[in-house]
Amino acid sequence: MIPVLRERARACTKAGDVSVETVAEMKAAGFFRVLQPKRWGGYEMHPNVFFDIQKALAEGCMSTGWIYGVLGCHPYELALFHDQAQRDVWADDADMLVSSTYQPVGKVEKAEGGFYLSGRWGFSSGSSHCGWVLLGAINFDTDGGPPDMRTFLLPRSDYKVIEGTWDTFGLQGTGSFDIVVERVFVPEYRTHRASDGFACANPGQKENDAPLYRLPWAQVFMRSVSTAAFGGVRAATSAAIEIMNSRVSTNTGKASKADPNLHAAIARSIAEVNEMELTHRAAFDEMMGYAERGEPVPMERRGLFAYQSASVVRRMADLADDMVKLLGGRAIYMSSPILQPWLDLHAARAHVANDPANRTSDVIGTMQGEPPAFTFI
Protein backbone atom coordinates (compact mmCIF):
# COMPACT_ATOMS: atom_id res chain seq x y z
CA MET A 1 0.00 0.00 0.00
CA ILE A 2 2.97 2.38 0.36
CA PRO A 3 3.05 3.59 -3.29
CA VAL A 4 -0.76 3.80 -3.42
CA LEU A 5 -0.88 5.89 -0.25
CA ARG A 6 1.91 8.10 -1.55
CA GLU A 7 -0.21 8.81 -4.63
CA ARG A 8 -3.22 9.65 -2.46
CA ALA A 9 -1.35 11.67 0.16
CA ARG A 10 -1.88 15.10 -1.41
CA ALA A 11 -5.61 14.51 -1.79
CA CYS A 12 -5.77 13.22 1.78
CA THR A 13 -4.10 16.42 3.02
CA LYS A 14 -6.44 18.66 1.01
CA ALA A 15 -9.54 16.76 2.12
CA GLY A 16 -8.49 16.92 5.77
CA ASP A 17 -9.33 13.24 6.18
CA VAL A 18 -8.18 9.80 5.07
CA SER A 19 -10.38 8.55 2.23
CA VAL A 20 -13.19 6.05 2.72
CA GLU A 21 -11.45 3.92 0.09
CA THR A 22 -8.21 3.72 2.09
CA VAL A 23 -10.01 2.79 5.30
CA ALA A 24 -11.96 0.10 3.43
CA GLU A 25 -8.73 -1.33 2.06
CA MET A 26 -7.17 -1.44 5.53
CA LYS A 27 -10.26 -3.24 6.81
CA ALA A 28 -10.18 -5.72 3.94
CA ALA A 29 -6.51 -6.43 4.63
CA GLY A 30 -7.39 -7.30 8.24
CA PHE A 31 -5.16 -4.58 9.68
CA PHE A 32 -7.67 -3.53 12.35
CA ARG A 33 -7.93 -7.13 13.61
CA VAL A 34 -4.27 -7.43 14.62
CA LEU A 35 -4.87 -6.59 18.31
CA GLN A 36 -8.53 -7.67 18.41
CA PRO A 37 -9.44 -10.76 20.48
CA LYS A 38 -9.77 -14.05 18.58
CA ARG A 39 -13.23 -14.54 20.05
CA TRP A 40 -14.32 -11.56 17.94
CA GLY A 41 -12.53 -12.68 14.78
CA GLY A 42 -9.27 -10.92 15.62
CA TYR A 43 -5.74 -12.23 15.38
CA GLU A 44 -4.26 -11.44 18.86
CA MET A 45 -0.87 -10.87 17.25
CA HIS A 46 2.34 -9.61 18.84
CA PRO A 47 2.23 -5.81 19.19
CA ASN A 48 5.33 -5.52 17.00
CA VAL A 49 3.25 -6.79 14.05
CA PHE A 50 0.76 -3.98 14.64
CA PHE A 51 3.51 -1.38 14.81
CA ASP A 52 5.26 -2.76 11.71
CA ILE A 53 2.04 -2.21 9.75
CA GLN A 54 1.72 1.31 11.13
CA LYS A 55 5.28 2.19 10.13
CA ALA A 56 4.72 0.89 6.60
CA LEU A 57 1.45 2.79 6.13
CA ALA A 58 3.01 5.99 7.47
CA GLU A 59 5.86 5.73 5.00
CA GLY A 60 3.27 6.16 2.25
CA CYS A 61 1.16 8.75 4.12
CA MET A 62 1.79 9.68 7.74
CA SER A 63 -1.82 10.77 8.27
CA THR A 64 -2.96 7.29 7.25
CA GLY A 65 -0.38 5.68 9.52
CA TRP A 66 -1.50 7.95 12.36
CA ILE A 67 -5.19 7.05 12.19
CA TYR A 68 -4.31 3.36 11.81
CA GLY A 69 -2.29 3.54 15.02
CA VAL A 70 -5.11 5.23 16.91
CA LEU A 71 -8.07 3.29 15.53
CA GLY A 72 -6.10 0.04 15.40
CA CYS A 73 -5.15 0.10 19.08
CA HIS A 74 -8.75 0.63 20.22
CA PRO A 75 -9.71 -3.03 19.72
CA TYR A 76 -7.02 -3.66 22.35
CA GLU A 77 -8.58 -1.27 24.86
CA LEU A 78 -12.08 -2.50 24.07
CA ALA A 79 -10.88 -6.01 24.93
CA LEU A 80 -10.18 -4.66 28.43
CA PHE A 81 -13.76 -3.40 28.90
CA HIS A 82 -16.53 -5.46 30.45
CA ASP A 83 -17.71 -8.21 28.08
CA GLN A 84 -21.10 -6.52 27.55
CA ALA A 85 -19.37 -3.41 26.19
CA GLN A 86 -17.53 -5.60 23.68
CA ARG A 87 -20.83 -7.18 22.68
CA ASP A 88 -22.41 -3.75 22.21
CA VAL A 89 -19.73 -2.78 19.70
CA TRP A 90 -18.82 -6.01 17.92
CA ALA A 91 -21.84 -8.35 18.14
CA ASP A 92 -23.37 -7.02 14.92
CA ASP A 93 -20.19 -5.88 13.19
CA ALA A 94 -16.79 -7.24 14.22
CA ASP A 95 -15.16 -4.68 11.89
CA MET A 96 -16.69 -1.71 13.73
CA LEU A 97 -14.15 1.09 14.22
CA VAL A 98 -13.87 3.24 17.35
CA SER A 99 -12.22 6.66 17.59
CA SER A 100 -11.11 8.43 20.76
CA THR A 101 -10.07 11.56 22.53
CA TYR A 102 -8.80 11.03 26.04
CA GLN A 103 -8.73 14.68 27.04
CA PRO A 104 -10.22 14.67 30.57
CA VAL A 105 -12.57 17.56 29.79
CA GLY A 106 -16.01 15.97 30.03
CA LYS A 107 -18.55 16.71 32.75
CA VAL A 108 -19.50 13.56 34.68
CA GLU A 109 -22.64 13.16 36.80
CA LYS A 110 -22.92 9.94 38.77
CA ALA A 111 -26.27 8.16 38.39
CA GLU A 112 -27.81 4.82 39.22
CA GLY A 113 -26.13 2.16 37.08
CA GLY A 114 -23.71 4.57 35.40
CA PHE A 115 -23.07 8.20 34.59
CA TYR A 116 -24.36 11.14 32.63
CA LEU A 117 -21.66 12.59 30.37
CA SER A 118 -21.51 15.89 28.51
CA GLY A 119 -18.89 18.16 26.96
CA ARG A 120 -16.77 18.96 23.93
CA TRP A 121 -13.52 17.18 23.11
CA GLY A 122 -10.91 17.89 20.43
CA PHE A 123 -8.47 15.71 18.48
CA SER A 124 -10.60 12.65 17.65
CA SER A 125 -8.51 11.22 14.81
CA GLY A 126 -10.36 9.20 12.18
CA SER A 127 -13.69 9.97 13.84
CA SER A 128 -15.64 10.30 10.58
CA HIS A 129 -14.99 6.60 9.87
CA CYS A 130 -16.19 5.30 13.24
CA GLY A 131 -19.45 4.22 14.81
CA TRP A 132 -18.31 4.56 18.42
CA VAL A 133 -16.02 6.83 20.41
CA LEU A 134 -13.90 6.60 23.58
CA LEU A 135 -13.96 9.81 25.63
CA GLY A 136 -11.88 10.77 28.65
CA ALA A 137 -13.41 12.36 31.75
CA ILE A 138 -12.93 12.46 35.52
CA ASN A 139 -15.53 11.32 38.02
CA PHE A 140 -15.15 13.44 41.16
CA ASP A 141 -18.12 11.87 42.99
CA THR A 142 -16.22 9.00 44.61
CA ASP A 143 -17.57 9.11 48.19
CA GLY A 144 -14.53 10.90 49.50
CA GLY A 145 -12.01 8.89 47.50
CA PRO A 146 -9.58 10.30 44.93
CA PRO A 147 -10.89 11.48 41.55
CA ASP A 148 -11.57 8.59 39.19
CA MET A 149 -10.24 8.99 35.63
CA ARG A 150 -12.26 6.92 33.17
CA THR A 151 -12.75 6.32 29.48
CA PHE A 152 -16.41 6.40 28.43
CA LEU A 153 -17.61 4.38 25.42
CA LEU A 154 -20.47 5.94 23.39
CA PRO A 155 -22.32 4.92 20.19
CA ARG A 156 -22.54 7.36 17.27
CA SER A 157 -26.15 8.15 18.14
CA ASP A 158 -24.97 9.71 21.43
CA TYR A 159 -22.44 12.19 20.03
CA LYS A 160 -21.75 14.53 17.12
CA VAL A 161 -18.60 14.73 15.01
CA ILE A 162 -17.97 18.40 14.23
CA GLU A 163 -16.21 18.31 10.88
CA GLY A 164 -14.19 21.34 9.80
CA THR A 165 -12.60 21.73 13.24
CA TRP A 166 -9.22 20.31 12.16
CA ASP A 167 -7.10 22.98 10.42
CA THR A 168 -3.40 22.36 11.06
CA PHE A 169 -0.02 22.65 9.32
CA GLY A 170 0.73 18.92 9.54
CA LEU A 171 -1.13 15.63 9.84
CA GLN A 172 -3.95 17.48 8.09
CA GLY A 173 -5.40 14.24 6.73
CA THR A 174 -6.11 12.64 10.11
CA GLY A 175 -9.58 14.18 10.39
CA SER A 176 -9.03 14.78 14.10
CA PHE A 177 -12.37 16.51 14.56
CA ASP A 178 -14.16 17.73 17.68
CA ILE A 179 -16.71 15.53 19.47
CA VAL A 180 -19.77 17.00 21.19
CA VAL A 181 -21.93 15.17 23.75
CA GLU A 182 -25.10 16.67 25.20
CA ARG A 183 -25.75 14.90 28.50
CA VAL A 184 -26.19 11.25 27.63
CA PHE A 185 -26.31 8.24 29.93
CA VAL A 186 -23.35 5.86 29.85
CA PRO A 187 -23.79 2.59 31.77
CA GLU A 188 -21.05 1.63 34.21
CA TYR A 189 -20.00 -1.36 32.11
CA ARG A 190 -19.19 0.96 29.19
CA THR A 191 -16.47 2.72 31.16
CA HIS A 192 -12.83 1.76 31.65
CA ARG A 193 -11.04 2.96 34.77
CA ALA A 194 -7.52 4.31 34.30
CA SER A 195 -6.55 2.63 37.57
CA ASP A 196 -7.49 -0.78 36.11
CA GLY A 197 -5.37 -0.13 33.03
CA PHE A 198 -2.47 0.90 35.26
CA ALA A 199 -2.79 -2.20 37.46
CA CYS A 200 -3.29 -4.52 34.46
CA ALA A 201 -6.44 -5.79 36.19
CA ASN A 202 -9.24 -5.10 33.71
CA PRO A 203 -12.77 -6.57 33.54
CA GLY A 204 -12.30 -7.86 29.99
CA GLN A 205 -9.36 -10.06 30.96
CA LYS A 206 -11.86 -12.60 32.28
CA GLU A 207 -12.88 -13.52 28.73
CA ASN A 208 -9.76 -12.28 26.92
CA ASP A 209 -7.15 -14.10 28.96
CA ALA A 210 -4.30 -14.31 26.43
CA PRO A 211 -0.93 -12.90 27.57
CA LEU A 212 -1.34 -10.03 25.09
CA TYR A 213 -4.06 -8.46 27.24
CA ARG A 214 -1.91 -8.45 30.37
CA LEU A 215 0.24 -5.61 29.06
CA PRO A 216 -0.12 -2.14 30.58
CA TRP A 217 -2.70 -0.40 28.38
CA ALA A 218 -0.74 2.87 28.40
CA GLN A 219 2.30 1.22 26.85
CA VAL A 220 0.25 0.15 23.83
CA PHE A 221 -1.47 3.50 23.37
CA MET A 222 1.66 5.63 23.80
CA ARG A 223 3.43 3.82 21.00
CA SER A 224 0.35 4.10 18.77
CA VAL A 225 0.83 7.89 18.62
CA SER A 226 4.61 7.87 18.24
CA THR A 227 5.20 5.00 15.81
CA ALA A 228 3.82 6.72 12.69
CA ALA A 229 6.87 8.96 12.97
CA PHE A 230 9.07 6.03 11.90
CA GLY A 231 7.30 5.96 8.55
CA GLY A 232 7.33 9.74 8.33
CA VAL A 233 11.07 10.08 8.85
CA ARG A 234 11.77 7.22 6.43
CA ALA A 235 9.68 9.03 3.81
CA ALA A 236 11.64 12.22 4.52
CA THR A 237 14.95 10.36 4.24
CA SER A 238 13.97 8.78 0.92
CA ALA A 239 12.88 12.19 -0.35
CA ALA A 240 16.19 13.73 0.73
CA ILE A 241 18.08 11.09 -1.25
CA GLU A 242 15.83 11.67 -4.27
CA ILE A 243 16.45 15.42 -4.18
CA MET A 244 20.16 14.95 -3.49
CA ASN A 245 20.63 12.83 -6.59
CA SER A 246 19.29 15.49 -8.96
CA ARG A 247 19.94 18.84 -7.26
CA VAL A 248 22.69 21.17 -8.47
CA SER A 249 22.71 24.66 -6.96
CA THR A 250 22.06 27.30 -9.61
CA ASN A 251 24.08 29.78 -7.54
CA THR A 252 27.17 27.79 -6.58
CA GLY A 253 27.09 25.05 -9.20
CA LYS A 254 27.66 22.46 -6.47
CA ALA A 255 25.88 19.10 -6.66
CA SER A 256 24.09 17.96 -3.51
CA LYS A 257 25.23 14.37 -4.09
CA ALA A 258 28.76 15.59 -3.37
CA ASP A 259 27.81 17.44 -0.16
CA PRO A 260 29.40 15.69 2.83
CA ASN A 261 27.14 17.56 5.27
CA LEU A 262 24.03 16.22 3.54
CA HIS A 263 25.56 12.74 3.45
CA ALA A 264 26.13 12.99 7.21
CA ALA A 265 22.54 14.12 7.88
CA ILE A 266 21.08 11.29 5.80
CA ALA A 267 23.39 8.68 7.32
CA ARG A 268 22.54 9.90 10.83
CA SER A 269 18.82 9.62 10.06
CA ILE A 270 19.14 6.06 8.77
CA ALA A 271 21.31 4.95 11.71
CA GLU A 272 19.35 6.61 14.52
CA VAL A 273 15.97 5.47 13.20
CA ASN A 274 17.31 1.93 13.06
CA GLU A 275 18.50 2.22 16.67
CA MET A 276 15.13 3.57 17.83
CA GLU A 277 13.34 0.77 16.00
CA LEU A 278 15.46 -1.90 17.67
CA THR A 279 14.71 -0.31 21.05
CA HIS A 280 10.99 -0.28 20.25
CA ARG A 281 10.97 -3.94 19.23
CA ALA A 282 13.00 -5.00 22.27
CA ALA A 283 10.64 -3.18 24.64
CA PHE A 284 7.56 -5.10 23.44
CA ASP A 285 9.46 -8.39 23.26
CA GLU A 286 10.44 -7.86 26.88
CA MET A 287 6.93 -6.87 27.99
CA MET A 288 5.38 -9.83 26.18
CA GLY A 289 7.90 -12.07 27.94
CA TYR A 290 6.69 -10.85 31.32
CA ALA A 291 3.05 -11.29 30.23
CA GLU A 292 3.64 -14.84 28.98
CA ARG A 293 5.26 -15.75 32.30
CA GLY A 294 2.38 -14.20 34.23
CA GLU A 295 4.69 -11.61 35.79
CA PRO A 296 4.10 -7.84 36.05
CA VAL A 297 6.33 -5.54 34.04
CA PRO A 298 8.63 -3.83 36.61
CA MET A 299 7.66 -0.20 37.14
CA GLU A 300 11.17 1.05 36.39
CA ARG A 301 10.99 -0.64 32.99
CA ARG A 302 7.59 0.89 32.32
CA GLY A 303 9.01 4.30 33.21
CA LEU A 304 11.91 3.88 30.80
CA PHE A 305 9.72 2.52 27.98
CA ALA A 306 7.34 5.48 28.37
CA TYR A 307 10.23 7.93 28.15
CA GLN A 308 11.63 6.22 25.06
CA SER A 309 8.23 6.38 23.36
CA ALA A 310 7.79 10.04 24.25
CA SER A 311 11.23 10.92 22.85
CA VAL A 312 11.19 9.38 19.40
CA VAL A 313 8.97 11.90 17.57
CA ARG A 314 11.07 14.88 18.61
CA ARG A 315 14.27 13.05 17.72
CA MET A 316 12.88 12.15 14.30
CA ALA A 317 11.65 15.69 13.66
CA ASP A 318 15.16 16.91 14.42
CA LEU A 319 16.62 14.40 11.95
CA ALA A 320 14.24 15.67 9.25
CA ASP A 321 15.20 19.27 10.10
CA ASP A 322 18.87 18.49 9.52
CA MET A 323 18.13 17.16 6.04
CA VAL A 324 15.64 19.86 5.00
CA LYS A 325 17.98 22.76 5.77
CA LEU A 326 20.63 21.31 3.43
CA LEU A 327 18.34 20.96 0.39
CA GLY A 328 17.87 24.63 -0.43
CA GLY A 329 14.89 25.83 -2.45
CA ARG A 330 14.04 22.31 -3.59
CA ALA A 331 12.70 21.56 -0.11
CA ILE A 332 10.34 24.50 0.32
CA TYR A 333 7.77 23.91 -2.44
CA MET A 334 4.52 22.24 -1.42
CA SER A 335 5.20 19.76 -4.22
CA SER A 336 8.52 18.73 -2.66
CA PRO A 337 8.39 15.09 -1.50
CA ILE A 338 10.12 15.97 1.78
CA LEU A 339 7.81 18.76 2.86
CA GLN A 340 4.70 16.84 3.97
CA PRO A 341 6.50 14.25 6.12
CA TRP A 342 8.56 17.08 7.64
CA LEU A 343 5.39 18.99 8.58
CA ASP A 344 3.70 15.81 9.82
CA LEU A 345 6.61 14.99 12.12
CA HIS A 346 6.44 18.44 13.69
CA ALA A 347 2.67 18.20 14.12
CA ALA A 348 3.03 14.81 15.84
CA ARG A 349 5.29 16.43 18.44
CA ALA A 350 2.27 18.27 19.86
CA HIS A 351 0.58 15.16 21.27
CA VAL A 352 0.94 15.09 25.05
CA ALA A 353 2.22 11.51 24.89
CA ASN A 354 5.10 12.70 22.70
CA ASP A 355 6.49 15.17 25.24
CA PRO A 356 9.46 13.54 27.03
CA ALA A 357 9.41 16.26 29.69
CA ASN A 358 6.34 14.52 31.14
CA ARG A 359 8.34 11.33 31.63
CA THR A 360 11.81 12.26 32.86
CA SER A 361 11.03 12.37 36.59
CA ASP A 362 9.35 8.97 36.50
CA VAL A 363 12.40 7.38 34.85
CA ILE A 364 14.49 8.37 37.87
CA GLY A 365 11.74 8.02 40.49
CA THR A 366 10.77 4.47 39.55
CA MET A 367 14.45 3.47 39.62
CA GLN A 368 14.45 4.64 43.26
CA GLY A 369 11.36 2.60 44.08
CA GLU A 370 8.98 5.56 44.08
CA PRO A 371 5.49 5.28 42.54
CA PRO A 372 5.12 7.09 39.21
CA ALA A 373 3.75 10.61 39.31
CA PHE A 374 2.20 10.18 35.87
CA THR A 375 0.24 6.93 36.12
CA PHE A 376 -0.50 6.60 32.40
CA ILE A 377 2.59 4.43 32.19
Side-chain angles (χ1 to χ4, degrees), residues 44-311:
E44 292 186 14
M45 299 178 88
H46 193 294
N48 283 337
V49 176
F50 172 71
F51 294 118
D52 280 348
I53 294 170
Q54 186 181 16
K55 284 179 275 190
L57 294 171
E59 192 170 345
C61 169
M62 193 166 157
S63 285
T64 301
W66 180 276
I67 75 153
Y68 173 68
V70 174
L71 304 187
C73 80
H74 291 153
Y76 186 93
E77 186 181 17
L78 189 54
L80 306 180
F81 272 75
H82 188 283
D83 182 58
Q84 185 57 53
Q86 298 172 52
R87 293 180 183 280
D88 288 356
V89 176
W90 286 328
D92 294 329
D93 183 1
D95 287 319
M96 177 61 68
L97 298 180
V98 182
S99 70
S100 70
T101 165
Y102 296 99
Q103 289 181 302
V105 296
K107 178 184 177 182
V108 179
E109 303 170 61
K110 197 171 181 180
E112 184 177 353
F115 307 88
Y116 283 100
L117 181 69
S118 55
R120 181 168 185 147
W121 293 255
F123 306 102
S124 188
S125 300
S127 50
S128 66
H129 303 283
C130 299
W132 291 73
V133 71
L134 294 158
L135 299 173
I138 300 174
N139 170 36
F140 291 96
D141 186 1
T142 57
D143 298 323
D148 178 20
M149 173 66 187
R150 296 188 183 225
T151 300
F152 294 76
L153 174 67
L154 282 70
R156 188 66 176 261
S157 58
D158 283 355
Y159 65 92
K160 296 178 182 178
V161 177
I162 311 299
E163 297 189 9
T165 52
W166 182 243
D167 185 16
T168 57
F169 70 78
L171 292 176
Q172 301 98 316
T174 61
S176 301
F177 302 126
D178 288 6
I179 301 294
V180 173
V181 175
E182 298 179 359
R183 198 173 185 268
V184 299
F185 180 74
V186 183
E188 171 85 26
Y189 73 82
R190 278 206 266 114
T191 71
H192 180 218
R193 298 194 307 171
S195 57
D196 290 342
F198 173 74
C200 303
N202 304 278
Q205 289 173 265
K206 178 181 178 182
E207 291 80 17
N208 305 313
D209 57 359
L212 173 63
Y213 302 109
R214 299 175 200 155
L215 297 178
W217 154 239
Q219 296 288 335
V220 177
F221 178 78
M222 284 185 294
R223 281 291 185 176
S224 78
V225 293
S226 65
T227 300
F230 283 89
V233 76
R234 285 198 168 115
T237 305
S238 296
I241 294 171
E242 177 186 333
I243 296 169
M244 177 193 72
N245 284 332
S246 62
R247 178 179 178 268
V248 177
S249 171
T250 55
N251 289 300
T252 66
K254 293 181 179 179
S256 289
K257 62 184 177 182
D259 182 355
N261 293 319
L262 180 56
H263 293 175
I266 293 172
R268 188 164 56 252
S269 177
I270 294 168
E272 292 193 18
V273 171
N274 185 59
E275 292 166 6
M276 286 184 271
E277 184 168 44
L278 291 172
T279 297
H280 183 179
R281 287 179 173 279
F284 276 95
D285 283 340
E286 182 178 332
M287 284 191 283
M288 283 299 295
Y290 281 111
E292 288 162 0
R293 295 190 299 271
E295 301 172 7
V297 181
M299 200 58 64
E300 62 271 22
R301 300 302 287 165
R302 290 168 67 169
L304 179 61
F305 296 153
Y307 175 77
Q308 289 169 334
S309 177
S311 301

Side-chain angles (χ1 to χ4, degrees), residues 353-372:
N354 293 330
D355 183 355
N358 292 329
R359 301 296 185 173
T360 51
S361 295
D362 280 339
V363 172
I364 307 306
T366 55
M367 288 173 61
Q368 308 300 317
E370 299 173 3

